[in-house]
Amino acid sequence: MKIMLKITRNTFDEVMIPCYKPFNCLIVKGKGSYLFDSNGNKYVDFTGGIAVNSLGHCDKGVQNVIKKQIKKLIHASNIFTNISTLTLAVKLTKHTDFSKVFFVNSGAEANEAALKLARRVAFNLYGENKNEIISFGHSFHGRTLFSVSVGGQDKYSDGFGPKPGAITHLPFNDIETFKQHISDKTCAVILEPIQGEGGIIEANPDFLKTVRDLCTSHNALLILDEVQTGVGRCGTFYAYQDTDIIPDILTSAKGLAAGIPIGSVMTSDEIAKHFSPGTHGSTFGGNPLACAVGTYVVNTISDKAFLNNVKAKGIILKHSLEELKDKYGIFKEIRGKGLLLGAVLNEDLQDKAGEIQQICAKYGLFILTAGHGVLRFAPALNIKNKTIKEGVNLLDKALADFTKV
């Protein structure tokens, strides 16, 4: 007998493990930079699925690729190879400084694989005592036990011990502390070019250069976590391409397949050879469907005109946020690059980001937070200028409401 189900927002509380606390609505449809709930309400989406929906919701090009690919091959496993997976791998090597690619399903898995690879390289070349991983305060690298322990926010890893060892956390952008700590026991340094979850904090160019140089001199691998900053988010295809450094390993995910789960690890021939057959794997990694969409996304976003538009839209949004900063006086600064921006609340409002986020939803705008004190904006990279203006107007109303309290 067929059971008819009535699904509401309350269904989440009844059947889902409560890791999340979603908005009090049920999303049923998305189109471009808009979302619609089960009550017919329309929202401007400045979250981009947390920087995932790089081409907005239900992009027609993405739909067409999916329709074509599901008629040919959805999954085959890694005991075979296939055209879709290899095509995306080639595309990524053409648009970066790397020659080898490994596919996974998420950013956490990409960072997990990168960290394992770094440890394996050090073990093979220098022995088991070269095992220290250096990370930085306020960083975020995923939710697996290894990646969450490497991340520099104890609130995400406490209570899941014993944690993996030989992990050191240093202050971000502190050159002198880094110089004093890195040693020949260090096997890898991992950092984000812009810390996303940590508050949209950009790595200082001098700090990046120092880290790169000292990693080289101590035979440590530099891992750049571009899960959030990559695939056009900051106005270049990968954020490192707007710096003076090249990492040894680059991780990517989120926007790489515009909503279809995928992640990747990119590196050199010399480093890649240490992941010999059997040392690592992923059942779904390199899934033909995800890779077909990824190829379309790379072709679209790597276009110079597209990336220039991301920069232009980022300037428009940042300028609009600066105007709201001046109007309401509740933001200390607006920071970030491209379409990854953060509005930092004043010291006396550092616990109010979630409250403002909820007020925005009431007015028909979805935004993100980064910690308790930063409003984060990561809309679709192809968001229309008029939609940016519409969203900013809704944010204006929400801030007017908030400052009345």
Side-chain angles (χ1 to χ4, degrees):
M1 186 173 115
K2 193 172 183 181
I3 299 174
M4 300 298 292
L5 295 177
K6 183 180 179 182
I7 304 296
T8 68
R9 166 60 181 81
N10 291 336
T11 307
F12 176 92
D13 302 320
E14 295 166 0
V15 302
M16 297 293 289
I17 292 175
C19 289
Y20 310 114
K21 191 177 179 181
F23 285 116
N24 190 29
C25 62
L26 187 67
I27 299 300
V28 296
K29 187 174 71 171
K31 185 176 181 181
S33 291
Y34 296 96
L35 286 167
F36 303 83
D37 69 18
S38 55
N39 293 319
N41 296 311
K42 180 180 179 181
Y43 304 86
V44 173
D45 181 19
F46 273 5
T47 75
I50 314 183
V52 168
N53 297 106
S54 49
L55 300 178
H57 297 282
C58 301
D59 176 77
K60 286 185 179 179
V62 171
Q63 290 184 53
N64 289 336
V65 171
I66 292 172
K67 288 174 185 176
K68 289 179 182 178
Q69 186 62 37
I70 61 176
K71 293 178 181 178
K72 294 188 287 188
L73 188 65
I74 297 175
H75 176 76
S77 88
N78 287 306
I79 64 170
F80 310 103
T81 191
N82 67 86
I83 293 171
S84 295
T85 304
L86 297 179
T87 300
L88 178 56
V90 170
K91 291 283 184 181
L92 287 171
T93 62
K94 296 294 184 187
H95 291 291
T96 66
D97 293 271
F98 308 100
S99 55
K100 286 291 191 290
V101 183
F102 179 80
F103 289 115
V104 291
N105 313 288
S106 68
E109 289 174 76
N111 286 328
E112 180 92 8
L115 293 163
K116 284 181 65 179
L117 176 57
R119 281 239 173 113
R120 177 53 68 103
V121 171
F123 178 84
N124 287 347
L125 297 180
Y126 307 103
E128 63 183 12
N129 290 326
K130 188 177 178 65
N131 59 17
E132 183 197 35
I133 293 166
I134 295 177
S135 179
F136 298 95
H138 302 293
S139 64
F140 183 85
H141 300 295
R143 298 278 193 161
T144 64
L145 186 57
F146 192 9
S147 63
V148 81
S149 299
V150 170
Q153 301 186 63
D154 289 342
K155 64 182 180 181
Y156 293 127
S157 58
D158 285 350
F160 297 103
K163 300 176 188 180
I167 299 168
T168 300
H169 296 99
L170 301 178
F172 193 52
N173 280 329
D174 187 332
I175 293 175
E176 291 307 313
T177 299
F178 184 78
K179 283 180 179 178
Q180 292 166 17
H181 188 88
I182 190 172
S183 73
D184 289 341
K185 290 185 177 180
T186 306
C187 73
V189 177
I190 185 170
L191 62 86
E192 304 154 90
I194 299 176
Q195 292 186 331
E197 300 289 334
I200 317 299
I201 304 169
E202 191 169 353
N204 182 286
D206 291 338
F207 176 71
L208 281 179
K209 185 69 167 56
T210 300
V211 170
R212 172 67 280 177
D213 290 345
L214 289 177
C215 280
T216 301
S217 64
H218 287 283
N219 295 310
L221 298 183
L222 174 57
I223 303 169
L224 223 56
D225 176 348
E226 291 235 36
V227 169
Q228 189 159 182
T229 58
V231 197
R233 176 57 53 186
C234 298
T236 50
F237 191 58
Y238 281 99
Y240 86 88
Q241 293 166 326
D242 197 31
T243 74
D244 293 327
I245 69 157
I246 298 174
D248 300 297
I249 303 174
L250 184 82
T251 60
S252 181
K254 284 190 180 288
L256 184 54
I260 304 297
I262 193 171
S264 71
V265 179
M266 290 169 268
T267 191
S268 65
D269 290 352
E270 191 63 26
I271 293 170
K273 70 182 183 183
H274 292 274
F275 257 5
S276 56
T279 54
H280 194 60
S282 171
T283 297
F284 290 102
N287 176 278
L289 179 60
C291 287
V293 176
T295 296
Y296 172 77
V297 170
V298 171
N299 286 342
T300 302
I301 292 177
S302 64
D303 179 73
K304 191 169 184 179
F306 187 99
L307 291 170
N308 285 337
N309 273 330
V310 172
K311 292 177 184 176
K313 293 173 191 297
I315 291 170
I316 291 170
L317 180 55
K318 194 169 190 177
H319 178 71
S320 298
L321 293 173
E322 293 280 4
E323 288 183 334
L324 293 179
K325 171 181 174 287
D326 294 340
K327 182 175 180 179
Y328 291 103
I330 65 170
F331 299 131
K332 184 165 58 175
E333 62 176 315
I334 309 298
R335 58 195 184 203
K337 186 182 290 186
L339 285 171
L340 180 61
L341 300 174
V344 185
L345 290 164
N346 293 338
E347 292 298 331
D348 59 332
L349 298 172
Q350 278 291 298
D351 61 345
K352 298 296 185 181
E355 182 180 336
I356 295 173
Q357 183 187 38
Q358 292 293 331
I359 296 172
C360 285
K362 184 178 74 172
Y363 281 93
L365 172 67
F366 287 146
I367 65 169
L368 299 164
T369 63
H372 298 295
V374 180
L375 307 184
R376 179 172 33 152
F377 306 88
L381 302 182
N382 59 353
I383 187 171
K384 292 181 170 59
N385 290 348
K386 66 177 183 180
T387 310
I388 293 176
K389 184 177 180 180
E390 182 182 356
V392 169
N393 287 339
L394 294 171
L395 178 60
D396 191 349
K397 292 178 181 179
L399 295 179
D401 189 335
F402 173 74
T403 53
K404 280 192 309 187
V405 177

